[in-house]
Amino acid sequence: MNLKAVYPLKQVLEVKQRRVEDAEKVVKEKQEILQKEKEKLEQREKEKAVVQTHHNDKLKQLRAEMDQGTTSDVILQMRAYLKVVKERLAAEDKKVEDQKAQVKTAENNVQIAKQELARKRQEVDKLLTHEKDWIKEIRKEMEIMEGREMDELGTVIFLGNMRKRESL
């Protein structure tokens, strides 16, 4: 039995498989972006921790100076500096929050890309299943056709043999 029939949706299947490959690349890219955003978040958190430590140190220093009873000029100067450090800490905190939002967005993008990939894989799976069913159907039809040809051949041979006997 020789199956020479070509699946009629072969080109569609190839296009959908290319789309799956493209979607896999997109997922990989989105995951790399997410990883970079997470690394940026870690860096921002480290920077914030440094500023927080500096703020705490300056606060302890101010308390120590106040306990010793230094001049009010020194205390005012230290409070002014502490205010600047608090502003810097607030700025670092804002950077951390903004970066967390970026990470969340990147995570959402990865999820969307994975869902799209799953949908495209499902389309390919459906076509592959259809192709298998189509091949089975074609094989059945070919077997039926071969059976008919064999029946016809058998009939021709039988009639030929009958004519030979009658002519003898």
Side-chain angles (χ1 to χ4, degrees), residues 62 72-83:
L62 174 65
S72 60
D73 289 341
V74 173
I75 292 174
L76 289 174
Q77 187 179 12
M78 290 179 86
R79 281 187 178 170
Y81 183 72
L82 196 57
K83 186 177 181 182

Side-chain angles (χ1 to χ4, degrees), residues 34-89:
L34 174 61
Q35 187 60 37
K36 288 177 184 175
E37 294 295 335
K38 285 182 177 180
E39 289 170 5
K40 284 182 187 177
L41 177 60
E42 287 177 22
Q43 184 62 32
R44 297 273 194 263
E45 287 174 340
K46 286 178 185 176
E47 291 169 2
K48 179 186 172 194
V50 168
V51 173
Q52 182 72 44
T53 303
H54 181 68
H55 176 265
N56 292 341
D57 291 344
K58 290 301 172 182
L59 195 59
K60 287 178 188 176
Q61 187 180 1
L62 174 65
R63 287 184 182 143
E65 287 291 326
M66 289 177 80
D67 287 345
Q68 289 178 357
T70 63
T71 62
S72 60
D73 289 341
V74 173
I75 292 174
L76 289 174
Q77 187 179 12
M78 290 179 86
R79 281 187 178 170
Y81 183 72
L82 196 57
K83 186 177 181 182
V84 171
V85 173
K86 278 186 181 182
E87 290 172 1
R88 196 166 142 215
L89 181 60

Side-chain angles (χ1 to χ4, degrees), residues 77-123:
Q77 187 179 12
M78 290 179 86
R79 281 187 178 170
Y81 183 72
L82 196 57
K83 186 177 181 182
V84 171
V85 173
K86 278 186 181 182
E87 290 172 1
R88 196 166 142 215
L89 181 60
E92 291 296 326
D93 195 36
K94 173 98 170 85
K95 287 180 185 178
V96 168
E97 292 305 316
D98 291 346
Q99 191 58 37
K100 283 181 180 179
Q102 291 293 326
V103 168
K104 185 70 174 164
T105 301
E107 286 173 345
N108 288 339
N109 289 342
V110 168
Q111 283 305 111
I112 290 168
K114 284 182 177 180
Q115 289 170 354
E116 187 67 18
L117 175 60
R119 187 183 61 77
K120 289 180 179 184
R121 280 186 176 155
Q122 187 178 24
E123 289 176 0

Side-chain angles (χ1 to χ4, degrees), residues 23 29 49-50 56 90 121 135 139 155:
E29 290 169 4
V50 168
N56 292 341
R121 280 186 176 155
I135 288 172
R139 284 186 178 153
T155 304

Side-chain angles (χ1 to χ4, degrees), residues 21-37:
E21 291 168 6
D22 293 343
E24 287 171 347
K25 289 176 187 174
V26 169
V27 167
K28 186 176 179 182
E29 290 169 4
K30 299 287 184 184
Q31 286 175 332
E32 289 172 1
I33 291 170
L34 174 61
Q35 187 60 37
K36 288 177 184 175
E37 294 295 335

